[in-house]
Amino acid sequence: MRRDHRPYWMHKAWEGFENAWARHFLAPHFDAIGVDPKFVLPWHVEVFGPNITAGERIHVVATAADPVRLTVWAPQTQAGRITLGSHVFLAPGTKLLAAGSIELGDDCLIANRVTISDCDWHSIHDRVDPQPDWKPVKLERNVWIGDGAYVGKGVTIGEHSVVGARSVVVKDVEPYTIVAGNPAKVIRRIDPDEPMRARSDMFADPAGMDRFFDTAYRQSLKGNSTLGWLRSRLFPRRGD
């Protein structure tokens, strides 16, 4: 489809259904979750294990091909944890795998098919150890991880830093730094004196933001009808 053929009422009904599904089936799997979470296709979000928490207004987008997985390894003697700050965004295919601790600060942006793991899961000489060694992973505020990147155990990424697509990060990254490659290396520094906007800035006026998006949807879906949507689904034409 080249455009969304749904009438406005259908968009609102679908959004309400997703929100209700997430509240009923998904939210109980979090130990704590802040206000106004947004899950797109929440039935493709997998939350497994204890000690998984999220702050306010997290936004998670999943698809059937690229589900989002938050997994904590919890043997009898020790359980890991995943902590997501406020205004965090997780794109389709995100995988967070914690044997000990993974922490994402406020405003972090995680792009498609990113994997973050605090453990190698098997040692060189003992590949059946139920409690493999782990080292905590921490992303400070407003870190942006590009498509397909991997962040390994023991890594801390400083605030406002960027990790390039397909990068493999195995060492700490200083704040205000762009890294890329395998293994990731410094590409350049970000000027800390330049103004920096983050996702939290979008929510400074939540009511105003809701009005903005509602108006945008009304305009983009203006003129659509239920019969027109049915026709596009059952009898698609070139140009639909």
Side-chain angles (χ1 to χ4, degrees), residues 73-105:
W73 174 238
Q76 293 181 350
T77 56
Q78 173 185 308
R81 66 176 55 252
I82 293 174
T83 305
L84 307 177
S86 295
H87 314 117
V88 167
F89 176 81
L90 305 180
T94 296
K95 295 180 183 178
L96 306 184
L97 311 173
S101 175
I102 294 177
E103 180 181 352
L104 274 60

Side-chain angles (χ1 to χ4, degrees), residues 1-239:
M1 292 292 180
R2 297 189 182 187
R3 67 179 184 88
D4 192 343
H5 291 268
R6 295 176 301 170
Y8 176 77
W9 74 263
M10 190 176 294
H11 155 72
K12 293 297 291 183
W14 180 256
E15 187 175 49
F17 172 70
E18 285 185 325
N19 292 340
W21 200 102
R23 284 193 301 269
H24 184 76
F25 292 107
L26 191 57
H29 292 282
F30 288 83
D31 276 21
I33 189 168
V35 298
D36 295 334
K38 174 61 178 175
F39 295 93
V40 176
L41 301 185
W43 39 91
H44 296 307
V45 178
E46 302 172 10
V47 180
F48 179 82
N51 306 322
I52 300 175
T53 62
E56 298 180 356
R57 298 182 178 90
I58 66 164
H59 190 173
V60 181
V61 179
T63 67
D66 288 309
V68 171
R69 294 186 172 96
L70 310 180
T71 302
V72 167
W73 174 238
Q76 293 181 350
T77 56
Q78 173 185 308
R81 66 176 55 252
I82 293 174
T83 305
L84 307 177
S86 295
H87 314 117
V88 167
F89 176 81
L90 305 180
T94 296
K95 295 180 183 178
L96 306 184
L97 311 173
S101 175
I102 294 177
E103 180 181 352
L104 274 60
D106 295 346
D107 301 317
C108 282
L109 299 169
I110 310 300
N112 291 49
R113 298 185 179 183
V114 166
T115 298
I116 301 174
S117 176
D118 66 0
C119 182
D120 294 331
W121 301 105
H122 303 284
S123 65
I124 298 298
H125 296 99
D126 185 353
R127 303 187 185 186
V128 293
D129 183 359
Q131 292 183 277
D133 291 337
W134 61 272
K135 295 181 180 179
V137 174
K138 183 176 182 179
L139 277 59
E140 297 181 348
R141 180 174 179 266
N142 198 31
V143 168
W144 173 16
I145 308 295
D147 280 27
Y150 175 85
V151 180
K153 69 179 184 180
V155 169
T156 295
I157 301 179
E159 63 178 358
H160 306 298
S161 290
V162 178
V163 173
R166 307 296 187 269
S167 298
V168 176
V169 185
V170 294
K171 294 182 179 180
D172 290 352
V173 177
E174 295 182 356
Y176 291 92
T177 303
I178 299 175
V179 300
N182 180 6
K185 297 181 180 179
V186 175
I187 301 301
R188 70 179 179 90
R189 306 291 182 179
I190 299 171
D191 186 351
D193 295 325
E194 286 290 324
M196 182 75 71
R197 298 189 66 210
R199 281 181 55 80
S200 55
D201 295 314
M202 297 170 54
F203 297 96
D205 178 13
M209 187 185 68
D210 288 342
R211 288 193 299 271
F212 170 81
F213 281 108
D214 186 70
T215 300
Y217 271 111
R218 286 182 182 275
Q219 291 178 346
S220 66
L221 302 177
K222 186 178 180 180
N224 289 356
S225 67
T226 304
L227 288 177
W229 174 81
L230 281 172
R231 196 275 310 156
S232 72
R233 303 297 294 181
L234 298 176
F235 305 101
R237 301 170 184 166
R238 191 178 303 277

